[in-house]
Amino acid sequence: MTEDSIKIIGFHAHVYFDTTSYEAAARVREGLDARFDVRLGRWHENPIGPHPKGMYQVAFAPEQFAKVVPWLMLNREGLDILVHPETGDDVKDHTEHALWLGEKLELNIEFLRAISARTA
């Protein structure tokens, strides 16, 4: 598959938090839910999958990107947020194709590679 032919079927934003930033994460979540057509994932208070700290996922359609991401840029309350496309290549989506708001956290990419190897 060439880069030109990659099709983005959706986007995920992973909003990271810890015990001291939980309330800020809740406010961001409430703002997203009230303003946009998004699917909010479960709260994960501990690291899960490739994610190094607690987070919740926000899934949204490509048509929502131009609304959701600028809102997150201005309203992230100091939280670190990973935004990535869904192209079918989880490793590239979380690395080469990703954008970060705030600090770029170190993801466990080996976790994604192991999953990709099992499904290939």
Side-chain angles (χ1 to χ4, degrees):
M1 176 182 303
T2 67
E3 293 297 316
D4 291 353
S5 65
I6 292 175
K7 188 133 181 121
I8 295 174
I9 60 170
F11 286 94
H12 290 166
H14 297 276
V15 179
Y16 296 97
F17 64 90
D18 56 26
T19 54
T20 62
S21 59
Y22 186 91
E23 289 182 18
R27 287 189 299 273
V28 170
R29 184 181 177 93
E30 289 167 12
L32 288 163
D33 191 35
R35 289 168 178 81
F36 306 106
D37 182 16
V38 297
R39 291 180 317 281
L40 297 169
R42 293 180 296 151
W43 289 86
H44 297 280
E45 295 186 13
N46 296 303
I48 185 169
H51 305 286
K53 60 191 287 191
M55 65 92 197
Y56 59 81
Q57 175 179 283
V58 182
F60 52 99
E63 302 78 38
Q64 292 291 310
F65 184 92
K67 296 175 184 172
V68 173
V69 174
W71 187 87
L72 285 170
M73 289 173 168
L74 299 178
N75 296 280
R76 66 184 182 84
E77 296 205 31
L79 300 170
D80 301 316
I81 300 174
L82 165 64
V83 179
H84 69 80
E86 291 181 87
T87 68
D89 186 334
D90 283 343
V91 173
K92 283 188 177 181
D93 288 350
H94 285 78
T95 57
E96 294 175 36
H97 303 154
L99 92 90
W100 285 89
L101 306 176
E103 182 182 341
K104 181 178 180 181
L105 304 179
E106 187 73 30
L107 300 178
N108 181 355
I109 299 305
E110 290 309 313
F111 176 87
L112 294 174
R113 285 191 180 114
I115 289 174
S116 294
R118 282 185 276 186
T119 60

